[in-house]
Amino acid sequence: MSIVHHIASGQAKLAVEVVGSGAPVVLLHAGVCDRRMYRAQRDGLSAHNKIIAYDRRGFGETQAEQEDYSSVQDLKTVMDAVADGLPALLVGCSQGGGVALDMALRYPSYVSALILVAPNVRGAPNPRYAVAIEALVAQRESAQKAGDTERVNALQARILLDGPLQPEGRVAGAVRNLFFDMNGIALRRAPIGANLDDEDVFRRAGEIEMPALVLWGEYDFPHIQERSRHMAAAMPNATGHMLPGAAHLPSLEQPEETTRLFAQFIEGLR
């Protein structure tokens, strides 16, 4: 049975879901989702771990006023409240992976290990897009400038859920509908202020010494795949693994395989 806490951090009330008992595992969602992207992993891992999943500012059920903030400090606040004083395995996808990496550099004693799925990496080189991908990115930017949230949502599903070079609608049904709901909430939210975190993770990757698993999808952006491979090679105790047939959000489109890989890594830590 899960319990949802509302934890104050600055002026925000972070919606934090906790289920299970044991070593803490914190699930950090992507920037187009909320904590619901990890439903399968929450259910699959909670028999032997304390699973902590929360909506960051601007997402899901979390309520936030407009103020400058630190995602790392928000994470530390959550852990101080519900992680029983123990270091946690941080699981982060995309933007959530960036938060996990920032945390590992700033507060390494809070982090026992990392699972990073197509992580954002501060300080990484700017991407260079193939012509077909550049056109899709330009369409998304145009829709954002026009304030057309439905079009932005559709394009982000096309780019991130299907994969930028895959057919539109490759991932359909309940998964696509969940994506639209999660991302739609984020797109409609009022501005929440600036994130002040600024760790140069790309340059300092060699300082991140805890065990790590880096995953990426075969259908994701080429530059994200390359960035993930770089982090797997640059962190001293990391391994990398490509997920065939997946794009940017494998926990949604390949839930069983993603959960299996997470569980296998956790078992290896024991």
Side-chain angles (χ1 to χ4, degrees):
M1 178 179 177
S2 66
I3 300 173
V4 178
H5 305 265
H6 296 278
I7 297 173
S9 183
Q11 297 183 60
K13 294 288 187 181
L14 304 172
V16 183
E17 184 176 6
V18 180
V19 60
S21 61
V25 176
V26 181
L27 306 177
L28 298 159
H29 62 78
V32 289
C33 297
D34 55 43
R35 71 180 193 268
R36 290 176 290 170
M37 73 174 289
Y38 290 119
R39 281 172 171 169
Q41 292 73 45
R42 177 201 65 187
D43 295 343
L45 301 175
S46 59
H48 303 291
N49 298 275
K50 184 174 191 177
I51 306 299
I52 302 163
Y54 71 99
D55 298 327
R56 296 197 310 279
R57 295 178 191 235
F59 301 92
E61 297 178 336
T62 284
Q63 300 300 315
E65 303 295 328
Q66 186 163 358
E67 64 173 340
D68 291 345
Y69 66 96
S70 162
S71 289
V72 169
Q73 290 303 131
D74 284 349
L75 172 55
K76 182 175 182 295
T77 298
V78 169
M79 290 185 62
D80 286 341
V82 297
D84 304 319
L86 298 172
L89 164 63
L90 303 184
V91 177
C93 177
S94 192
Q95 193 178 92
V99 176
L101 286 165
D102 289 348
M103 186 74 172
L105 280 174
R106 196 179 308 173
Y107 296 111
S109 65
Y110 275 68
V111 184
S112 60
L114 296 165
I115 297 178
L116 306 168
V117 183
N120 284 14
V121 181
R122 294 185 191 278
N126 291 329
R128 295 182 178 181
Y129 298 122
V131 173
I133 297 176
E134 188 173 23
L136 283 171
V137 171
Q139 290 178 46
R140 182 182 62 183
E141 291 174 353
S142 177
Q144 287 170 333
K145 289 178 182 177
D148 188 345
T149 57
E150 288 190 10
R151 178 65 174 155
V152 173
N153 206 353
L155 283 164
Q156 287 181 324
R158 167 75 178 82
I159 292 169
L160 298 173
L161 190 61
D162 297 326
L165 296 175
Q166 300 304 308
E168 183 170 9
R170 182 183 68 86
V171 180
V175 170
R176 200 173 196 84
N177 291 336
L178 177 60
F179 177 93
F180 285 146
D181 187 52
M182 292 188 293
N183 195 37
I185 291 171
L187 290 172
R188 292 189 296 270
R189 280 278 164 84
I192 58 169
N195 184 359
L196 302 178
D197 297 331
D198 62 353
E199 313 294 341
D200 187 351
V201 176
F202 193 81
R203 182 179 61 83
R204 298 177 60 194
E207 300 174 32
I208 302 173
E209 298 182 341
M210 61 281 296
L213 172 65
V214 185
L215 302 173
W216 62 91
E218 176 189 13
Y219 295 158
D220 204 348
F221 281 90
H223 77 275
I224 293 177
Q225 297 187 51
E226 178 58 33
R227 189 171 68 199
S228 299
R229 285 190 290 268
H230 168 82
M231 293 303 293
M235 293 187 294
N237 294 301
T239 58
H241 178 79
M242 183 186 75
L243 281 155
H248 194 61
L249 304 168
S251 70
L252 288 175
E253 63 166 310
Q254 294 187 5
E256 294 85 2
E257 177 63 7
T258 303
T259 303
R260 185 191 70 80
L261 289 169
F262 287 8
Q264 183 181 66
F265 178 74
I266 292 170
E267 184 61 30
L269 295 175
R270 297 193 180 103

